[in-house]
Amino acid sequence: MPSDDQRAVDQRAVDRLAVDLLARTDYGRIATSMRALPFLAFARHIVSDGRVLLRLPRSCGYHRACGGSVVAYGSDNLSSARPGEALWSVQVVGACSPYEPTTAETERFGAAPRRVDGKPYEPVYLSVQPQFGTVHSTDGGLERHFEHMP
């Protein structure tokens, strides 16, 4: 049975791995609630200084429910894994707040779409400070791939 200290070290490794995996993808889904109902919204993301920075369309209004709340943000390789490659899914949970990206961060987000749901795209940015993460994979693929990580 692992000690409490060992479980804390293991959880920190999972938290780091979760953020590292998010850095390997461009898009994910943010989850929180709006008017007491759960919802998922797509977002473009980058990882900067351990935070997950999100770009969402302002016209959807989801940023109003997310900012100032605890959210879950996740991504996966379910549609991008090559045949035979292990599948993985990751999520981080943390406090979300409005964010003003630097010029360099804005450039890292890349080109924005011109329209979302038929409306001109106007971006809004959020920052998620991960408090904990979860990682799931098939066939031990991540364990083999990341076994060198402390």
Side-chain angles (χ1 to χ4, degrees), residues 60-114:
C60 295
Y62 296 140
H63 63 287
R64 289 191 293 275
C66 297
S69 297
V70 172
V71 301
Y73 186 77
S75 191
D76 55 58
N77 74 338
L78 302 178
S79 65
S80 63
R82 295 181 302 268
E85 184 178 355
L87 300 175
W88 56 263
S89 176
V90 60
Q91 83 170 5
V92 294
V93 174
C96 181
S97 58
Y99 187 76
E100 188 64 41
T102 66
T103 302
E105 289 168 338
T106 302
E107 289 172 1
R108 286 183 55 207
F109 276 105
R114 289 191 309 267

Side-chain angles (χ1 to χ4, degrees), residues 11 15 18-19 22 30-31 52 69-74 90-96 128-134:
Q11 184 59 49
D15 296 345
V19 173
L22 280 174
I30 190 167
V52 180
S69 297
V70 172
V71 301
Y73 186 77
V90 60
Q91 83 170 5
V92 294
V93 174
C96 181
V128 178
Q129 183 64 54
Q131 299 301 307
F132 65 89
T134 56

